[in-house]
Amino acid sequence: MAAILDPTPDSLAKVARHLADGGIAALPTETVYGLAADATNPSAVARIFAAKRRPSTNPLIVHLADPEDVLRWTTPVDDLWQRLAEAFWPGPLTLVLPKRGGIPDSVTAGLPTLAVRVPDSPLTRQIIRLAGCPVAAPSANPSGYISPTLAAHVAESLGSEVPYIIDGGPCRRGIESTIVDLARPGNVEILRRGPISAQAIAEALGRGNIADRRIRASEDEAQRAPGLFSAHYQPGTPLFLWEQEPPTPAPAHLPLALLHFRRPVGAGESGSGQHWLSDSGDPEEAARNLYHMLRQLDQGQYRAIYAQTAPECPLGLSINDRLLRAAHGLAGEGPPAAESTPH
Ligand code: TXA
Ligand code: MG
């Protein structure tokens, strides 16, 4: 079983040595906990894929202690990366750049590009420095399940796979980094929505707007085939989405969980089937609570979860991206009513 370690100087040194020796460990970041290994060591990287049961076609993000290290592992095509690094690093932004030597193909799933980020966790940057290697780290969850935002989440779902988890407390941002593709000269494209908005990126680059590959894809999909969003971050309990009005579900054999974006007027304590992501409707608070809430509801004896989508502010769009991938469909296409439930 995994040991959950307080971030003392001794445990940081111990975990750094373990990584330098080719082991894996879970580390905190400001977004979600990552499952870390030496990115230059193919057998260490293989341990990440095995522990998560991650398909070898899904490339990893490499975490660096300092922005300058980007030039050691990638060959940027222009200076856009520097402008984004100055504006957002350390922080929840991942840059995809042409790969240089020294990183095995398994990290990038054979792509000629490498995804890099400098996380805003002094603990984890210290471990990376002490380990003396770049650190590959996908989110520390079994492939396809909900990402972890607490050390306890990692222990619950990967505890038998990972020897050490550094406890950095709850992740401040709560959803994975924004991924921006800078691999072609002058071209800036968002591959994954996250805490840093397209507008903030456009502003930092002095541009009008930024192409968003993901948004086009998921909006198209949402309209064409609501039940077929690309599955990711999924709870085991079927999850359905609603926008303005909560559905009035049919009586059911097992109760249904209703997840509001904001605490409903007049609601008592969270519980007994009614839950919310934020007391005040603050998107930052909602993002921070999202994965913990989905994990909790998934562990409750619910027949289905009905989650409200976030308002369409920049961070709300990133939350909705995660909800769409977690969803099995829209409310109204929910599970069969109680009558058909076997007793
Ligand atoms: O916030 C985060 O980014 C967290 C923390 C731990 O840093 N990490 C994370 O990793 O979310 P993961 O493995 O769950 O997501 C990594 C994603 C891949 O699924 C892929 O979509 C994208 O990063 N990616 C990695 N390398 C890429 C590349 N060379 N080109 C395009 N996309 C890439
Ligand atoms: Mg992940």
Side-chain angles (χ1 to χ4, degrees):
M1 271 315 271
I4 300 185
L5 306 176
D6 283 332
T8 61
D10 276 357
S11 55
L12 300 191
K14 177 173 168 167
V15 167
R17 257 195 323 275
H18 175 72
L19 293 175
D21 289 345
I24 58 173
L27 307 181
T29 82
E30 78 282 30
T31 58
V32 300
Y33 277 74
L35 185 62
D38 175 356
T40 65
N41 178 340
S43 55
V45 169
R47 288 193 180 97
I48 294 180
F49 281 92
K52 280 183 61 97
R53 299 204 175 79
R54 183 177 176 103
S56 62
T57 48
N58 193 356
L60 308 179
I61 296 173
V62 169
H63 297 64
L64 305 171
D66 296 291
E68 306 80 75
D69 298 343
V70 162
L71 298 174
R72 169 82 179 78
W73 306 108
T74 72
T75 46
V77 289
D78 49 33
D79 70 350
L80 296 179
W81 78 273
Q82 240 162 344
R83 285 150 68 188
L84 294 183
E86 272 162 30
F88 301 112
W89 278 354
L93 178 72
T94 294
L95 301 179
V96 172
L97 297 164
K99 181 180 168 182
R100 233 180 131 171
I103 302 286
D105 277 348
S106 55
V107 171
T108 56
L111 293 170
T113 53
L114 181 68
V116 287
R117 96 174 180 101
V118 177
D120 189 9
S121 161
L123 296 175
T124 286
R125 289 208 310 283
Q126 178 65 9
I127 291 175
I128 298 171
R129 261 184 219 114
L130 291 171
C133 55
V135 163
S139 51
N141 50 279
S143 190
Y145 194 60
I146 304 162
S147 294
T149 52
L150 289 175
H153 294 162
V154 183
E156 271 160 30
S157 52
L158 282 182
S160 54
E161 310 289 334
V162 56
Y164 303 116
I165 303 168
I166 294 280
D167 190 352
C171 300
R172 281 180 295 107
R173 300 291 199 146
I175 58 172
E176 301 84 349
S177 61
T178 305
I179 304 182
V180 176
D181 186 347
L182 294 180
R184 281 165 295 151
N187 185 65
V188 184
E189 211 171 348
I190 295 186
L191 302 183
R192 180 173 72 185
R193 283 174 166 175
I196 295 184
S197 68
Q199 290 91 319
I201 291 165
E203 236 166 73
L205 295 175
R207 293 194 173 198
N209 65 10
I210 299 287
D212 191 330
R213 210 186 287 168
R214 264 293 167 227
I215 292 168
R216 279 201 305 272
S218 61
E219 274 172 4
D220 277 349
E221 265 167 44
Q223 276 153 19
R224 280 203 318 268
L228 297 177
F229 307 128
S230 57
H232 250 304
Y233 318 104
Q234 266 191 346
T237 314
L239 184 139
F240 301 92
L241 300 180
W242 54 281
E243 222 168 281
Q244 303 289 344
E245 285 300 316
T248 40
H253 180 57
L254 285 174
L256 303 176
L258 195 56
L259 177 58
H260 298 261
F261 180 74
R262 169 184 197 157
R263 180 195 199 109
V265 178
E269 288 304 297
S270 182
S272 62
Q274 288 245 64
H275 307 266
W276 46 88
L277 292 176
S278 162
D279 264 333
S280 60
D282 169 25
E284 304 247 344
E285 185 190 8
R288 224 169 14 247
N289 289 335
L290 177 67
Y291 290 148
H292 181 59
M293 182 59 78
L294 290 180
R295 280 175 177 257
Q296 276 194 318
L297 296 182
D298 199 22
Q299 284 167 11
Q301 293 299 306
Y302 294 113
R303 190 159 159 268
I305 303 165
Y306 282 86
Q308 183 179 22
T309 53
E312 299 214 335
C313 60
L315 186 54
L317 293 173
S318 300
I319 293 172
N320 289 342
D321 171 87
R322 303 306 189 270
L323 282 173
L324 281 168
R325 291 158 197 265
H328 295 61
L330 303 176
E333 303 165 345
E339 304 81 73
S340 61
T341 308
H343 290 277

